[in-house]
């Protein structure tokens, strides 16, 4: 994997070390399987797409990876550290600094009663920033990067359109320079034209910041454009994984073949 | 640069009674640096299938396929990604881009992806778009609204932006007028001159005669047991 920013390259061991290593991850709800025996490596700068129908376990997997739910079995190593063995304090610090989580519904990831600038600045303050002028400057810079005009910095997100709210959520998440970003259906619920704008933005950020991303979606067009690798889930299990266009162009598993052939061509 | 030996491929259609369709067997060929090899054979004979196997879109059932230092048949996805980024370019017949992205960015993207400074990448993109007669007023627009011929030229500009050591060209001169066809053929000749290994499909016979050093008929790679898909 090629890395593009020197500061980022210095933060990792080297491109041949996975940033995230997942082995045998399993989550049950009573006798029902949430996700079972999921294993994969994610390298710096890589975007991994997870697709599958509703109830396939993709969102359960994402929330276990991000530490929102506790997995029953398995191992997660982030940057060589055992995530499941970490103290709650350490894990929370990780999710405030190195990790970010973009919710499908921006309302779940934003504070609706706080201004746009405040939403971005709050993340910075959570990692120790105290200088008001610098926080505001950085907030305005990030709002610009996600194409929100500087004159909207004092407006509340409730006055924004759905697409703007989603871009604000991304700015709030990326302002602390995370290395790993979890995304749950980030383009779901948006108009197609707004989706395109968001996809363009995400691709640029991944390329310029060397982000690693795990993106859950049911939209195969989104993963084709955004994800390097693809994992297909059914009934809580990974039925197929590989290079995105290989999985989509030459699917091996019956379920993937059905999924790919069910998409309307436009 | 590209070495293919006894390559085979079949498709298993799980949702159609598990039918197994063999589409290729015993495919062997090689392309040296600076050489252009043209694939021939009727429509459906497997030319595109072979190209997709080289690019890693189709999994390989058997045999060997090496591009540069990468064993494509057994490579991990991330090795294929690295191969595509640095070594192996592909000009397909269709432009697939994120809507809304300006044409100049679409063409510069392969260079940005390998860390070329943005101004250099855009200069190179502008140079190629100018050569391929895409009017400058269109550069800031997304190519999704362009005509078929314009999209094809944007696709070619993108494919030639980075000096890949190996290139796959699928009908690069189709739907182009004489002037632009000439530009594309010159680009191919220049790529050969700098040492690129090129594997291509050219239906245009004059184009084929001009740039191809050898032709390989893929009809010989059709499995004996069944018809190609």
């Amino acid at each position: 994997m090629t890395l593009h920013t020197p500061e980022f390259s210095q933060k990792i061991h080297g491109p041949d070390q996975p940033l995230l290593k997942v082995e045998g991850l399993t989550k049950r709800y009573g006798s029902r399987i949430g996700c079972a025996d999921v294993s994969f490596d994610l390298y710096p700068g890589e975007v991994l797409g997870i697709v599958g129908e509703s109830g396939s376990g993709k969102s359960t997997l994402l929330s276990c990876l991000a530490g929102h739910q506790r997995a029953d079995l398995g191992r997660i190593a982030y940057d060589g550290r055992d995530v499941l063995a970490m103290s709650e304090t350490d894990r929370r610090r990780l999710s405030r600094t190195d990790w970010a989580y973009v919710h499908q519904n921006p309302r779940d990831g934003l504070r609706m009663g706080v201004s746009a600038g405040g939403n971005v600045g709050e993340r910075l303050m959570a990692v120790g920033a105290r200088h008001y002028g610098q926080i505001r400057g950085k907030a305005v810079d990030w709002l610009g990067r996600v194409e929100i005009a500087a004159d909207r910095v004092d407006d509340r997100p409730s006055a924004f359109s759905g697409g703007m709210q989603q871009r604000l959520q991304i700015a709030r998440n990326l302002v602390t320079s995370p290395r790993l970003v979890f995304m749950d259906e980030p383009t779901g619920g948006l108009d197609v034209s707004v989706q395109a704008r968001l996809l363009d933005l995400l691709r640029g950020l991944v390329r310029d910041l060397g982000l690693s991303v795990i993106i859950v979606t049911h939209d195969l067009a989104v993963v084709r454009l955004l994800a390097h690798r693809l994992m297909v889930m059914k009934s809580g299990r990974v039925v197929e994984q590989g290079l995105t266009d290989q999985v989509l162009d030459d699917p091996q598993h019956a379920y993937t073949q059905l999924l790919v052939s069910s998409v309307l061509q436009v | 640069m590209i070495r293919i030996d006894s390559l085979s491929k079949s498709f298993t259609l799980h949702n159609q009674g598990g039918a197994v369709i063999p589409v290729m067997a015993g495919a062997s060929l090689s392309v040296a640096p600076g050489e252009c090899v043209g694939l021939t054979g009727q429509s459906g004979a497997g030319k595109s299938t072979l190209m997709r196997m080289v690019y890693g879109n189709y999994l390989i059932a058997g045999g060997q396929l090496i591009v540069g230092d990468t064993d494509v048949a057994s490579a991990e996805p991330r090795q294929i990604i690295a191969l595509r980024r640095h070594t192996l370019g592909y000009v397909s017949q269709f432009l697939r881009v994120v809507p809304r992205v300006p044409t100049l960015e679409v063409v510069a993207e392969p260079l940005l992806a390998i860390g070329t400074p943005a101004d250099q990448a855009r200069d190179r993109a502008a140079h190629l778009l100018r050569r391929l007669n895409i009017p400058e007023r269109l550069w800031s627009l997304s190519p999704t609204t362009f005509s078929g011929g314009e999209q094809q030229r944007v696709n070619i500009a993108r494919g030639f932006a980075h000096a890949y050591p190996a290139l796959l060209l699928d009908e690069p001169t189709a739907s182009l007028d004489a002037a632009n066809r000439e530009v594309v053929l010159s680009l191919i000749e220049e790529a050969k001159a700098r040492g690129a290994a090129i594997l291509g499909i050219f239906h245009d016979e004059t184009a084929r005669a001009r740039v191809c050093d050898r032709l390989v008929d893929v009809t010989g790679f059709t499995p004996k047991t069944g018809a190609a898909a």
Side-chain angles (χ1 to χ4, degrees):
Chain A
M1 229 57 261
T2 317
L3 301 164
H4 313 299
T5 55
E7 53 178 306
F8 180 77
S9 307
Q10 285 160 15
K11 280 165 84 174
I12 57 159
H13 302 308
D16 287 333
Q17 292 290 330
L19 186 64
L20 190 74
K21 201 170 174 60
V22 177
E23 284 169 20
L25 205 71
T26 300
K27 171 75 185 172
R28 289 175 189 279
Y29 301 105
S31 61
R32 207 163 53 76
I33 289 174
C35 61
D37 202 22
V38 176
S39 301
F40 65 89
D41 289 344
L42 183 73
Y43 288 81
E46 248 183 2
V47 180
L48 172 69
I50 305 176
V51 296
E53 60 199 357
S54 302
S56 61
K58 55 190 198 302
S59 294
T60 298
L61 174 61
L62 194 72
S63 73
C64 287
L65 291 172
H68 297 171
Q69 291 191 70
R70 188 127 195 121
D72 300 325
L73 280 172
R75 266 173 51 84
I76 304 174
Y78 171 77
D79 206 9
R81 296 158 71 193
D82 184 345
V83 177
L84 298 177
M86 263 179 210
S87 70
E88 188 59 19
T89 325
D90 285 350
R91 204 192 52 67
R92 278 180 185 277
R93 187 178 302 124
L94 200 60
S95 48
R96 270 204 313 266
T97 54
D98 270 32
W99 293 4
Y101 193 101
V102 176
H103 295 265
Q104 172 174 13
N105 187 340
R107 286 168 181 275
D108 296 334
L110 291 173
R111 294 229 292 157
M112 298 305 283
V114 173
S115 71
N119 262 285
V120 179
E122 193 180 54
R123 275 276 293 198
L124 283 171
M125 289 172 68
V127 296
R130 287 294 175 264
H131 187 284
Y132 176 78
Q134 283 172 6
I135 292 172
R136 190 174 169 91
K138 207 161 174 187
V140 170
D141 172 47
W142 263 97
L143 291 176
R145 289 211 218 181
V146 299
E147 302 171 28
I148 294 174
D151 64 1
R152 303 298 301 270
V153 66
D154 294 320
D155 291 352
R156 291 183 182 183
S158 49
F160 288 0
S161 67
M164 273 175 85
Q165 288 181 1
Q166 195 57 294
R167 281 181 274 132
L168 177 60
Q169 193 194 177
I170 288 169
R172 174 180 161 97
N173 269 285
L174 295 185
V175 68
T176 51
S177 310
R179 297 159 69 191
L180 175 59
V181 184
F182 301 99
M183 294 187 182
D184 186 9
E185 302 271 11
T187 61
L190 298 176
D191 286 342
V192 178
S193 62
V194 180
Q195 267 194 28
R197 190 171 182 186
L198 198 66
L199 282 175
D200 173 30
L201 173 72
L202 290 175
R203 256 165 73 120
L205 291 171
V206 166
R207 189 187 62 213
D208 298 339
L209 306 175
L211 296 176
S212 299
V213 178
I214 300 179
I215 178 170
V216 161
T217 177
H218 63 270
D219 190 334
L220 298 182
V222 167
V223 287
R224 172 138 1 221
L225 291 170
L226 209 55
H228 301 118
R229 287 195 297 131
L230 194 58
M231 215 155 85
V232 183
M233 292 190 72
K234 184 180 191 299
S235 312
R237 293 177 189 278
V238 176
V239 295
E240 183 164 355
Q241 58 177 320
L243 200 65
T244 299
D245 53 21
Q246 180 264 302
V247 173
L248 295 178
D249 294 343
D250 187 15
Q252 305 294 305
H253 190 275
Y255 176 68
T256 319
Q257 292 186 355
L258 192 65
L259 201 66
V260 170
S261 65
S262 305
V263 176
L264 295 174
Q265 299 287 328
V266 288
Chain B
M1 188 68 207
I2 302 175
R3 276 180 295 140
I4 299 173
D5 192 26
S6 312
L7 206 61
S8 63
K9 174 69 190 164
S10 59
F11 291 106
T12 306
L13 307 178
H14 293 289
N15 298 304
Q16 289 172 43
V20 178
I21 303 175
V23 292
M24 189 165 291
S28 300
L29 65 90
S30 66
V31 189
E35 189 183 34
C36 178
V37 173
L39 297 176
T40 62
Q42 285 189 337
S43 186
K47 301 185 293 293
S48 296
T49 298
L50 187 56
M51 299 269 272
R52 289 189 185 129
M53 287 165 84
V54 177
Y55 202 58
N57 282 36
Y58 283 177
L59 286 182
I60 290 158
Q64 233 194 2
L65 202 170
I66 312 257
V67 179
D69 304 325
T70 306
D71 181 351
V72 176
S74 66
E76 293 286 318
R78 55 192 298 268
Q79 293 172 297
I80 302 277
I81 293 165
L83 177 76
R84 290 176 178 184
R85 195 165 285 178
H86 299 280
T87 311
L88 180 64
Y90 185 16
V91 177
S92 68
Q93 289 190 66
F94 305 100
L95 183 67
R96 206 194 287 270
V97 293
V98 178
R100 206 192 75 110
V101 179
T103 295
L104 191 70
E105 296 293 316
V106 166
V107 175
E109 203 196 7
L111 289 169
L112 295 173
I114 53 168
T116 309
D119 50 343
Q120 281 179 35
R122 291 197 184 103
D123 285 351
R124 171 79 182 149
H127 167 76
L128 283 163
L129 287 169
R130 206 169 281 127
R131 264 187 88 176
L132 286 155
N133 302 304
I134 301 287
E136 194 161 346
R137 63 189 160 77
L138 298 181
W139 295 359
S140 58
L141 305 175
S142 162
T144 44
T145 56
F146 291 6
S147 74
E150 283 165 344
Q151 289 198 12
Q152 176 67 352
R153 280 179 277 147
V154 171
N155 213 11
I156 289 164
R158 180 182 161 90
F160 282 89
H162 170 49
Y164 295 104
L167 262 176
L168 301 172
L169 305 176
D170 191 350
E171 296 265 24
T173 55
S175 72
L176 296 185
D177 58 37
N180 283 309
R181 189 167 145 277
E182 182 57 36
V183 176
V184 174
L185 292 175
S186 315
L187 284 171
I188 296 173
E189 284 167 343
E190 289 163 27
K192 283 171 67 180
R194 67 166 168 78
I198 300 176
L199 183 63
I201 302 173
F202 304 88
H203 280 159
D204 172 356
E205 279 184 35
T206 14
R208 195 194 290 165
R210 181 162 147 196
V211 295
C212 292
D213 301 292
R214 282 186 297 130
L215 298 177
V216 173
D217 187 346
V218 301
T219 313
F221 305 152
T222 307
K224 301 288 176 283
T225 47

